[in-house]
Amino acid sequence: MNSIGYDLNGHDMKFDQWRSQARLLLQQGVAPAHAQWSQAASLFSEVDSISKPLSNPVVTSDFIELAQLVSCVRDPDRWSLLYRLIYRMNHENRNLLKVSVDEDVRKADVWAKSVSRDIHKMHAFVRFKKTEVNGRETYVAWHKPEHQCLELAASFFVRRFGDKPWSIFTPNLSAHWNLKELSFSKGIPQNKFEHSDSFDEVWTTYYKSIFNPARLKIKMMKTEMPVKYWSSMPESAVIQELIRETPKILQNMAETPRFLAKVPETSDWRVLRDSAKSCKACPLAGHATQTVFGEGDLNAELMIVGEQPADEDDKSGRTFVGPVGKVLSEALENAGIGRDSIYITNAVKHFKWEPQGKERLNKKANGREMQACKPWLEAEIARVKPKVILALGATAGTALYGRLVNIQKERGKIHTESPFAPAILISWHPAAVLRSASIEEKSQRLAELSEDIKLALNKVPGPKNFSNHT
Amino acid sequence: MMKTNWDSIKSRLAILADAAKYDASCSSSGSERKRDKNGMGNVEGMGICHSYAPDGRCISLLKILMTNFCIYDCKYCVNRVTSEVKRARFTPEEIVNLTLEFYRRNYIEGLFLSSGIIGSSDSTMEMLIRVAKSLRQDHKFNGYIHLKVVAGSSKELILEAGLWADRVSANVEMPVQEDLNLLAPAKTISAATKSMNQISEKVQETKEELGKKTRFVPRFAPAGQTTQMIVGATKSTDALILNASEKMYQRYSLKRVYYSAYSPIPDADVLLPNEQPSLVRENRLYQADWLVRFYDFKAAELTTAEESNLPLDIDPKTSWALRNRSFFPVDVNTASREELLRVPGLGVRNVDRIIQMRPYRKISLLDLTKIRVSLAKTKYFVTTSDHNPDAFLIDVQNLKDRLRPPETQLSLFDVAATARTGEI
Ligand code: SF4
Ligand code: SF4
């Protein structure tokens, strides 16, 4: 007859209490069937088939780890399951826990997994609100775990936020950190938790913006962040709105107009030029007089790429005429080369302008227009195969360098890592020379442009030495 | 301290988080830090996902750009100089503040900071470093920090970044230079791999020094490095992509390669596809990547000369098994770990469970279901302690049809789950 008269409520028992009880029972050799752990029932029935008493029952650390987790489950059967396991480990197989297919082991594993997940989710989803308690900056949160796992979960918050006082409230239990020790008190229902934090809005702003509507996966979100936790998470308030707006955002993206010039596959320069004449790939064609294609020596070793045609170019159909063209001619002359022996073109082939009084004022092409027109430039480069390209101005620079180029800083340097030509350089656009703020600046920029052309000519390698273009 | 204008912060945060969201990396794992007694924050191995966005992706870090101004013109990027998006900028101090406020409320594990390139690469990188350094030094913050290497940063700065950050990473973006030429002519693969090499050498050196225990060695990027490749923006095949990854894993001891299916961006460049990304392809790449890293597969085994892309209708391991039927059936009670790992449907965890159990028990088909192996695939490839009639079907012609999951099973949900865990 077993005589431990012990009235334990199975629900409220703590793991440590169970542990010392289990130890006693093992020492007395009580079989699992005779140990009753359920609530209110008398603890032990009459014992007639006692197994071998164990003076020193073995409790392995992996069992303790598992049992601690299992003890958090709200199921009243957890204590008897745990006893059965430890009993069998002592009498049947010390390595029982390794046999994942055993019914008892499997059940304990499932419960333990569910509790660890719940603890993990508590670490993840607790949302602190900043407040003041007795004049001290304090952080408070309300969270509803699925299992009774606050005690196991709380130490994490001490390790992480030990430098400020905080409290975590759950329906059954609350945890409090006062910079020295962790204590527990009764829980509170959610409607008794009355803290708010205006900073929540900054967080939801972030949450909204980090979401990529092109990859909507609501089911996945709900699996990882189950709806049962949402009520205490500020971001959950905007989820519906985000989902609702998704189709509209996607449609807007899809409808943004995108243009690209269609270039015939040919190396016949005349065919290229003539097709370009009728290009209407982007809106610029609608406002300009004509396409201004490149021109010059089709076997030139140096190609000069400007930005886009100017007013006079638009009217005449030829590039770099008018005042801007004159500056370029002057610079070429200074460098000692004629227009005929190089190839000159622009990154964009139609004039872009806005009216100012009677004038047509030059306006910079935007990224989309530049991109639309790039195939023409690429076709010209492929046809002429220049050994050196000199970009004039930022637009040409962006097209050829693949980034914004600071002309002041990068002129005079040879850029060799380009897919377009073995050597690329940049200099002032003649229009920038004309726009100079002072006479001095003007003559300096002109001199620099001339120098850069000279440098480019210098970089033209010896005859047919074209092999190191990668 | 100056009073913070949170409204201004909020509107810039919206822009700078939006600009950062195309970087797939979110992990905060792989590092250990204890809280400083005068500050907050620690890192305990496995990072925590503090929230999930409706795109199913984990939110673990405050992932933002310092600025989305950028002088580069990478076509796949929403921040390229020719894009007409709204621009904004945070000061290093503002980022420090935001990180601390977010962290304190348990929203995040830490910070993932990157930036568009303004001025020079080095001056941009310096500012990123300033943020990390201030968090660590001025605020004794020991949460997770991931700094992106600004393309073209100098070695000195990369080495300094690793002193403060848990992870430093450089994105290659594309598997081959031809793709970069087309979409990001200012970038080179070699510049990215040069940075990777500098990081991996320093990580290695630090490990060796730490091993000697002769003197104090400052830690260097304890969570190692990762990189990202954009998939589907060019025509590059899976074979090319996997080959590039395998090489990088070997040479730079990367923790992970992220594959990011190119997804449409606002004001997208005309060279890029406008369709929704192929998330199935992205998922297959993650599965294949996983096979290379944890299942002893070679990248070259996963595609063939005739089919240089991974099949979309079937996972890469099953596909390999179908091409190598003579390898099967595998006896679960006697096979080596390596052999078991090649069985479709058996994941690393299950293989380890089987090996653990074998000394105590002969394993039957039923046992496999008990450890939640899905027999639908596995049964054709194994023999067990009991009779398994399906193992005789290994040579039938229509085996592939039997193995192909019903259409619905390839739901986006599965896709996202494997993308994260790689478990097949
Ligand atoms: S600017 Fe270029 S792309 Fe646009 S219409 Fe003219 S030639 Fe065609
Ligand atoms: S350098 Fe980075 S931020 Fe700038 S355009 Fe390229 S990918 Fe985008």
Side-chain angles (χ1 to χ4, degrees):
Chain A
M1 169 99 183
N2 187 307
S3 60
I4 307 171
Y6 196 89
D7 194 17
L8 247 188
N9 180 321
H11 259 311
D12 285 349
M13 181 157 54
K14 296 269 190 258
F15 177 65
D16 286 341
Q17 293 169 307
W18 175 86
R19 196 174 161 183
S20 48
Q21 285 308 304
R23 188 174 188 82
L24 273 177
L25 293 179
L26 282 173
Q27 282 169 342
Q28 296 176 2
V30 178
H34 298 282
Q36 295 202 357
W37 300 86
S38 65
Q39 185 176 7
S42 71
L43 203 61
F44 307 112
S45 58
E46 203 161 297
V47 176
D48 42 32
S49 65
I50 289 181
S51 323
K52 197 169 68 175
L54 304 165
S55 57
N56 211 0
V58 173
V59 183
T60 60
S61 60
D62 55 342
F63 174 79
I64 293 291
E65 212 174 286
L66 178 79
Q68 260 185 330
L69 292 170
V70 170
S71 73
C72 298
V73 172
R74 289 179 205 271
D75 193 311
D77 287 343
R78 64 197 186 280
W79 302 122
S80 46
L81 172 71
L82 288 179
Y83 187 63
R84 223 162 37 241
L85 280 174
I86 193 63
Y87 183 90
R88 291 180 59 204
M89 284 175 78
N90 276 279
H91 290 278
E92 218 176 89
N93 175 1
R94 192 143 300 177
N95 290 308
L96 181 64
L97 294 186
K98 292 217 169 85
V99 186
S100 328
V101 296
D102 180 274
E103 277 310 317
D104 286 340
V105 174
R106 199 150 73 100
K107 182 152 193 194
D109 278 346
V110 168
W111 273 347
K113 210 172 152 198
S114 170
V115 173
S116 342
R117 185 173 145 97
D118 198 35
I119 291 173
H120 185 77
K121 293 300 179 192
M122 187 188 288
H123 294 164
F125 299 150
V126 156
R127 295 286 180 266
F128 283 112
K129 298 182 189 297
K130 186 180 188 167
T131 185
E132 264 186 23
V133 174
N134 304 328
R136 223 165 37 150
E137 184 182 329
T138 302
Y139 291 81
V140 293
W142 189 90
H143 175 86
K144 187 176 175 208
E146 185 183 338
H147 304 291
Q148 296 171 310
C149 62
L150 179 61
E151 280 167 293
L152 280 189
S155 58
F156 164 86
F157 295 99
V158 176
R159 292 196 298 278
R160 181 162 285 193
F161 301 111
D163 62 328
K164 289 275 160 71
W166 50 258
S167 291
I168 298 171
F169 300 91
T170 78
N172 303 71
L173 192 69
S174 304
H176 312 279
W177 171 251
N178 64 1
L179 302 189
K180 286 194 195 72
E181 56 182 10
L182 191 59
S183 61
F184 294 89
S185 68
K186 262 191 161 28
I188 60 168
Q190 188 166 23
N191 57 17
K192 289 273 153 50
F193 179 79
E194 287 167 338
H195 295 278
S196 67
D197 188 337
S198 58
F199 198 83
D200 284 353
E201 275 175 46
V202 185
W203 170 238
T204 41
T205 302
Y206 176 70
Y207 182 82
K208 279 193 209 169
S209 315
I210 203 71
F211 157 57
N212 183 352
R215 310 172 62 114
L216 192 64
K217 273 184 245 163
I218 302 166
K219 198 170 153 197
M220 169 79 184
M221 168 187 65
K222 286 188 176 163
T223 311
E224 295 297 339
M225 191 166 84
V227 178
K228 64 181 177 221
Y229 297 116
W230 285 17
S231 72
S232 52
M233 301 173 71
E235 62 267 41
S236 63
V238 298
I239 291 176
Q240 285 313 319
E241 171 193 335
L242 287 178
I243 295 172
R244 236 187 358 257
E245 283 174 358
T246 294
K248 211 173 70 207
I249 298 171
L250 292 181
Q251 203 181 348
N252 282 348
M253 282 202 288
E255 281 172 1
T256 311
R258 310 196 302 169
F259 329 108
L260 189 66
K262 267 212 180 63
V263 174
E265 267 190 50
T266 174
S267 55
D268 185 332
W269 180 81
R270 276 167 194 286
V271 177
L272 285 173
R273 183 198 57 191
D274 293 346
S275 333
K277 291 275 176 221
S278 55
C279 180
K280 293 189 174 54
C282 80
L284 292 190
H287 304 283
T289 315
Q290 54 189 309
T291 305
V292 180
F293 207 64
E295 57 184 45
D297 181 357
L298 296 182
N299 297 311
E301 305 198 306
L302 171 62
M303 180 185 275
I304 290 186
V305 181
E307 309 211 299
Q308 59 198 74
D311 196 349
E312 299 79 6
D313 305 7
D314 177 64
K315 286 176 189 141
S316 69
R318 306 212 30 209
T319 186
F320 283 103
V321 295
V324 172
K326 258 172 100 183
V327 175
L328 180 63
S329 300
E330 199 180 332
L332 286 171
E333 205 173 298
N334 293 345
I337 187 155
R339 264 201 196 209
D340 301 348
S341 38
I342 59 175
Y343 187 90
I344 305 185
T345 188
N346 284 304
V348 174
K349 310 288 193 241
H350 269 110
F351 178 42
K352 185 177 184 182
W353 56 279
E354 56 190 4
Q356 198 187 61
K358 277 189 202 149
E359 304 267 295
R360 299 196 299 173
L361 212 66
N362 209 334
K363 196 172 173 222
K364 202 169 148 352
N366 66 27
R368 248 178 263 165
E369 293 150 355
M370 274 168 58
Q371 203 48 43
C373 210
K374 198 160 176 193
W376 292 122
L377 176 61
E378 285 167 350
E380 288 174 291
I381 293 174
R383 168 64 186 79
V384 178
K385 294 197 176 62
K387 287 165 190 158
V388 184
I389 301 179
L390 175 63
L392 299 183
T395 301
T398 307
L400 292 165
Y401 285 68
R403 62 180 165 84
L404 201 66
V405 189
N406 183 327
I407 300 176
Q408 183 84 59
K409 274 199 201 144
E410 298 195 40
R411 58 164 289 274
K413 293 183 191 153
I414 322 276
H415 178 69
T416 51
E417 276 173 10
S418 164
F420 297 115
I424 292 191
L425 294 88
I426 191 157
S427 190
W428 304 109
H429 193 275
V433 175
L434 287 177
R435 276 199 312 269
S436 300
S438 62
I439 307 258
E440 293 76 42
E441 190 179 71
K442 187 172 173 179
S443 59
Q444 188 186 345
R445 283 187 178 179
L446 179 62
E448 287 174 350
L449 176 59
S450 313
E451 254 170 57
D452 293 337
I453 297 174
K454 243 187 250 163
L455 179 61
L457 287 169
N458 258 331
K459 277 296 131 188
V460 170
K464 305 297 159 235
N465 177 16
F466 199 32
S467 56
N468 57 356
H469 181 193
T470 48
Chain B
M1 206 205 297
M2 223 176 65
K3 185 128 177 43
T4 316
N5 177 353
W6 287 111
D7 281 333
S8 152
I9 298 262
K10 259 189 279 178
S11 63
R12 282 178 290 149
L13 178 61
I15 295 171
L16 294 168
D18 188 90
K21 71 184 169 200
Y22 301 99
D23 201 306
S25 154
C26 76
S27 160
S28 50
S29 300
S31 190
E32 299 275 347
R33 273 177 207 275
K34 282 211 168 26
R35 183 172 70 83
D36 184 291
K37 64 181 192 309
N38 298 314
M40 71 169 157
N42 66 342
V43 183
E44 303 185 336
M46 282 297 287
I48 298 173
C49 292
H50 283 272
S51 192
Y52 287 82
D55 54 20
R57 294 213 270 194
C58 148
I59 302 178
S60 172
L61 301 169
L62 169 60
K63 176 159 58 174
I64 48 170
L65 301 189
M66 183 178 68
T67 177
N68 65 338
F69 286 102
C70 186
I71 60 170
Y72 276 56
D73 197 28
C74 310
K75 299 304 178 198
Y76 46 76
C77 177
V78 66
N79 308 314
R80 67 188 188 284
V81 62
T82 56
S83 143
E84 322 256 305
V85 293
K86 271 198 220 149
R87 309 278 173 170
R89 182 173 177 171
F90 276 136
T91 64
E93 293 70 31
E94 283 169 335
I95 298 172
V96 166
N97 247 332
L98 208 48
T99 308
L100 295 172
E101 297 285 354
F102 271 30
Y103 195 89
R104 176 64 80 187
R105 287 168 177 82
N106 203 39
Y107 299 156
I108 52 169
E109 289 290 285
L111 173 68
F112 176 12
L113 186 61
S114 174
S115 182
I117 304 176
I118 40 174
S120 70
S121 295
D122 275 356
S123 64
T124 310
M125 191 68 211
E126 262 166 19
M127 275 192 278
L128 301 191
I129 292 173
R130 215 163 94 202
V131 172
K133 186 173 173 183
S134 166
L135 279 168
R136 296 278 191 242
Q137 287 206 317
D138 307 338
H139 300 277
K140 306 291 175 211
F141 172 76
N142 271 350
Y144 193 90
I145 300 179
H146 178 171
L147 290 185
K148 187 110 267 170
V149 170
V150 175
S153 304
S154 65
K155 183 173 178 183
E156 290 66 42
L157 291 180
I158 290 176
L159 296 189
E160 183 174 4
L163 292 181
W164 312 113
D166 293 280
R167 172 166 285 170
V168 192
S169 65
N171 282 357
V172 279
E173 311 288 15
M174 297 281 152
V176 289
Q177 186 61 39
E178 289 72 43
D179 289 354
L180 281 179
N181 288 350
L182 187 67
L183 296 179
K187 284 194 171 163
T188 58
I189 301 240
S190 59
T193 51
K194 187 168 145 202
S195 300
M196 287 183 197
N197 194 39
Q198 289 163 349
I199 298 168
S200 81
E201 276 179 358
K202 187 70 189 176
V203 167
Q204 189 54 35
E205 185 191 311
T206 308
K207 224 186 258 159
E208 280 164 19
E209 286 291 318
L210 280 171
K212 286 191 217 147
K213 291 195 173 118
T214 45
R215 60 180 183 92
F216 171 75
V217 187
R219 303 213 295 167
F220 183 84
Q225 60 172 333
T226 57
T227 193
Q228 165 169 299
M229 265 191 268
I230 299 169
V231 177
T234 63
K235 298 262 175 299
S236 282
T237 61
D238 294 344
L240 277 178
I241 293 171
L242 290 171
N243 178 35
S245 299
E246 191 178 48
K247 266 205 214 122
M248 290 191 294
Y249 279 124
Q250 286 163 357
R251 290 187 191 158
Y252 313 115
S253 34
L254 296 180
K255 292 284 185 254
R256 247 185 111 160
V257 175
Y258 287 92
Y259 304 93
S260 176
Y262 172 77
S263 72
I265 49 175
D267 194 28
D269 189 89
V270 60
L271 293 179
L272 291 160
N274 213 348
E275 302 91 53
Q276 295 297 296
S278 169
L279 298 186
V280 179
R281 181 178 179 200
E282 182 185 282
N283 178 51
R284 294 292 181 232
L285 281 166
Y286 275 117
Q287 291 177 324
D289 181 271
W290 216 264
L291 291 178
V292 171
R293 283 190 295 152
F294 302 113
Y295 290 72
D296 262 337
F297 279 82
K298 295 263 161 297
E301 290 180 285
L302 298 170
T303 53
T304 60
E306 301 79 55
E307 196 29 91
S308 49
N309 282 312
L310 297 167
L312 294 179
D313 58 347
I314 205 159
D315 69 82
K317 198 200 227 179
T318 307
S319 165
W320 177 86
L322 286 172
R323 292 195 306 272
N324 295 277
R325 297 190 198 196
S326 57
F327 187 85
F328 300 99
V330 161
D331 184 340
V332 289
N333 282 297
T334 58
S336 67
R337 186 166 188 274
E338 290 68 36
E339 285 168 326
L340 288 172
L341 284 175
R342 296 218 161 204
V343 175
L346 286 188
V348 170
R349 240 180 319 162
N350 280 327
V351 166
D352 288 341
R353 275 204 196 118
I354 289 170
I355 290 174
Q356 231 183 23
M357 265 192 309
R358 283 200 304 209
Y360 311 102
R361 161 168 203 139
K362 282 270 159 251
I363 293 166
S364 67
L365 267 188
L366 183 67
D367 287 342
L368 290 182
T369 58
K370 283 189 184 161
I371 55 171
R372 276 180 273 172
V373 171
S374 134
L375 286 190
K377 256 183 225 167
T378 307
K379 65 181 178 187
Y380 300 108
F381 301 96
V382 291
T383 50
T384 43
S385 67
D386 47 351
H387 175 62
N388 174 15
D390 292 313
F392 295 104
L393 292 173
I394 186 75
D395 288 323
V396 301
Q397 285 301 314
N398 68 346
L399 185 54
K400 180 168 177 188
D401 297 325
R402 292 174 187 244
L403 288 165
R404 205 196 317 263
E407 248 10 273
T408 50
Q409 238 179 288
L410 249 184
S411 73
L412 292 178
F413 165 61
D414 298 336
V415 169
T418 19
R420 206 165 24 86
T421 62
E423 201 69 58
I424 305 171

